[in-house]
Amino acid sequence: MTTEIMAWPPAAGLDAFDWRISMAQVASGGPFSVFAGIDRTLTVLAGTMRLAAGDAEPVALSPLSQPYAFPGDVDTEARLIDGPVLDFNVMTRRGRVSHAVERLSFSEPTEIVLGEGISLIFVASGAARMDGEAVAAFDTLYQDDGTARLKIEPTAPLSLLLVTIRLT
């Protein structure tokens, strides 16, 4: 089961988006959908899986792993380890848009600088005040007007996914 968080252009179908961000509940292992001309990054939020994408060596992914980037147009298969998985997906249309995903963890107040392009901050776990606004797990913040500074004050150990999207 997949939940779309945001896509561009709005209401674009799976064959027409420039970029798409979603979460998926994966109840059993098996093949992934193939998306021609799409680059993907998958980050595990809960559970553990072994992912085999194309000819690349299979990788184990868990909530402690870094995001894993792979082409969406290669045969990809997941094997679940110890039950269901919740994952976070970023997909961009190759040749039009590119993306990067970073996992950041904080327990003390800090400030981060958001770069050029579109920035999305997804709260993977924990809670915080960001520029005075309360955020909790699965909240998403969106910034599309270039560089900015963001003050982060964790109220619980915090794990964020910073997504940067740029036109190519």
Side-chain angles (χ1 to χ4, degrees), residues 20-89:
R20 181 175 189 259
I21 298 179
S22 62
M23 277 191 334
Q25 289 273 359
V26 183
S28 61
F32 276 35
S33 298
V34 173
F35 292 97
I38 297 296
D39 289 321
R40 296 182 73 167
T41 299
L42 183 137
T43 308
V44 170
L45 302 173
T48 304
M49 73 167 57
R50 189 156 190 80
L51 190 70
D55 294 333
E57 197 65 32
V59 295
L61 301 173
S62 74
L64 301 176
S65 305
Q66 288 301 312
Y68 181 71
F70 61 100
D73 44 14
V74 299
D75 290 334
T76 303
E77 186 154 342
R79 183 172 56 87
L80 304 188
I81 302 166
D82 297 329
V85 167
L86 178 63
D87 65 33
F88 177 84
N89 295 281

Side-chain angles (χ1 to χ4, degrees), residues 28-156:
S28 61
F32 276 35
S33 298
V34 173
F35 292 97
I38 297 296
D39 289 321
R40 296 182 73 167
T41 299
L42 183 137
T43 308
V44 170
L45 302 173
T48 304
M49 73 167 57
R50 189 156 190 80
L51 190 70
D55 294 333
E57 197 65 32
V59 295
L61 301 173
S62 74
L64 301 176
S65 305
Q66 288 301 312
Y68 181 71
F70 61 100
D73 44 14
V74 299
D75 290 334
T76 303
E77 186 154 342
R79 183 172 56 87
L80 304 188
I81 302 166
D82 297 329
V85 167
L86 178 63
D87 65 33
F88 177 84
N89 295 281
V90 178
M91 298 191 292
T92 52
R93 191 155 311 277
R94 194 176 303 128
R96 277 198 245 171
V97 183
S98 65
H99 73 272
V101 182
E102 293 178 77
R103 187 188 294 267
L104 306 172
S105 297
F106 305 103
S107 56
E108 299 293 326
T110 193
E111 186 175 271
I112 62 172
V113 176
L114 304 176
E116 294 294 324
I118 296 168
S119 296
L120 290 104
I121 297 174
F122 177 81
V123 180
S125 64
R129 294 193 68 72
M130 292 189 194
D131 283 349
E133 297 287 328
V135 296
F138 305 157
D139 285 345
T140 305
L141 287 75
Y142 175 84
Q143 158 88 18
D144 71 353
D145 56 0
T147 60
R149 292 187 177 277
L150 181 63
K151 184 178 178 182
I152 301 171
E153 300 170 276
T155 55

